[in-house]
Amino acid sequence: MAAPCFLGWDFSTQQLKVIAIDERLRVIYEDNVNFDKDLPEFKTQGGVHVHSDRLTVTSPVLMWIKALDMILEKMKSSGFNFSQVRALSGAGQQHGSVYWKKGSNQILKNMSPKLPLHQSLKACFAVSNSPIWMDSSTSLQCSALENAVGGAQQLANLTGSRAYERFTGNQIAKIYNQNPEVYAQTERISLVSSFAASLFLGAYAPIDYSDGSGMNLLQIWEKVWSASCLDACAPGLAEKLGNPVPSHSVLGSISPYYVQRYEFSPDCKIVAFTGDNPASLAGMRLQEGDIAISLGTSDTLFLWIQEPTPALEGHILCNPVDSQTYMALLCFKNGSLMRERIRNECASGSWDEFSKALSSTVTGNNGNLGFYFDVMEITPEAVGIHRFNSDNQKVLNFPKEVEIRALIEGQFMAKRIHAEKLGYKVMPKTRILATGGASHNKIILQVLSDVFNAPVYTIDTANSACLGSAYRAIHGLVAETKVPLADVVKLAPEPRLAVTPTAGAEELYHPLLKRYAELEQKVIYNPTSSCL
Ligand SMILES: O=C(CO)[C@@H](O)[C@H](O)CF
């Protein structure tokens, strides 16, 4: 009898990835299909089409389906034993939407195992090019939605976020506004995650609470669709969405299509798919009190939050591994490119020199504070470089080593301030899980640890969404027993402790954090005011 295994899928922007793990969580297979390289007939760049208006961004839904056909054939040719798969789950890029044409549920249910998926499903979509998270063409729909529910903060209180152009409700509203006949032909609207789950289920799969939190449509407290939001976007929308489900739900057994064509076991269970960021939270095995910080081109924070306070920045989502709690997502656009520009100007382009300069300056930088936004920042909405001395006077420049510390301390103080605005509380058991380029620099991590007064661990998250999906496949089989995901995956490799807080740092940063928050109000972008 072949040893049981579990599959995790990730339908991300640029590629389709799959990972197989055994019962001891060891990776026994992984593969990917790169949309640009392996499916050139779709002529995508980075997996997407940016339209001529520079605002509309879509991906061909048949490309995603062909990628699945391709990866399953690759697995079959490599001799992968599908019969050993006990359960599978997956992730999809958040916010993207798929529009199934009337009658498609029947086609899904009766796919012939003699044909690849894309041949059976090629006529199933009312919209061939799905809007995805990089789209920003729905500002009118965003304003209409916020007005309909009583404003941006009210919408955030209801759905966890103010209106964002990429969020699915606004995308659906645009399609209804611009192509009512396409909307009328649509029997079912899926997210990328629930669309992918539907392919394996052989029927329409429900949207899970966590990815559903990225639509501006789900009441995150009651976990039901908000009637006022649905009505503001399009008529009869509830029926087209179906009812949302807890993210750990077992949706059913795999479609007979896969049993007959690939020899999956008929008992292989499908666990609800979710968004890529919620799946990454599972893959990083975040627990209550943890903060995951991805230090990349943009810096992203994932937070596990018990009692969130939705704000006009950031996003509160239902937690994918514990439906009684929440997760927050904060994105800081000025991340590594900002750090590299200051490194080039103040440390001759050398990270060693940058680190030496950071080590040579005192914690708290003698009260000098800086805001560094080469591009329009989204958390908060601000742009430009703003420096203040210890008397809160604006200054035009700092000495190079002071500039370097002001940049790093400022970036991390902003993260703590905005995390706490969303309801996060730094607790004695708080761990920071750092990933991404800058997480290899211990001098930078020491500042992070001091600002948060918490130990910093490093983890490799290259496949976190895929791995998190495989973990969630295991968890889904036992979730009804209320076993937490952390217990199910305790055999996974532990994060590595990198640095702990410097004694006295908390007392020093406490007043600085307060000053930073006050000064931030002065630099926030106000198109009508003269420059500061
Ligand atoms: O828009 C985002 C999150 O809100 C992105 O991280 C997408 O999920 C990437 F696929």
Side-chain angles (χ1 to χ4, degrees), residues 198-215:
S198 306
L199 298 179
F200 287 104
L201 200 59
Y204 293 148
I207 289 170
D208 78 296
Y209 292 157
S210 195
D211 207 15
S213 309
M215 302 172 78

Side-chain angles (χ1 to χ4, degrees), residues 12-13 92-95 133-134 166-167 275-277 315 329:
S12 69
T13 310
Q93 50 177 299
Q94 285 186 260
H95 317 302
W133 66 278
M134 293 166 67
R166 67 188 193 278
F167 275 43
D276 57 348
N277 292 299
H315 314 288
L329 198 57

Side-chain angles (χ1 to χ4, degrees), residues 16 33 35 39 62-72:
L16 170 59
V33 163
F35 301 136
L39 290 161
L62 276 182
M63 176 179 76
W64 295 330
I65 295 174
K66 268 193 167 181
L68 181 55
D69 283 325
M70 195 178 266
I71 213 164
L72 286 165

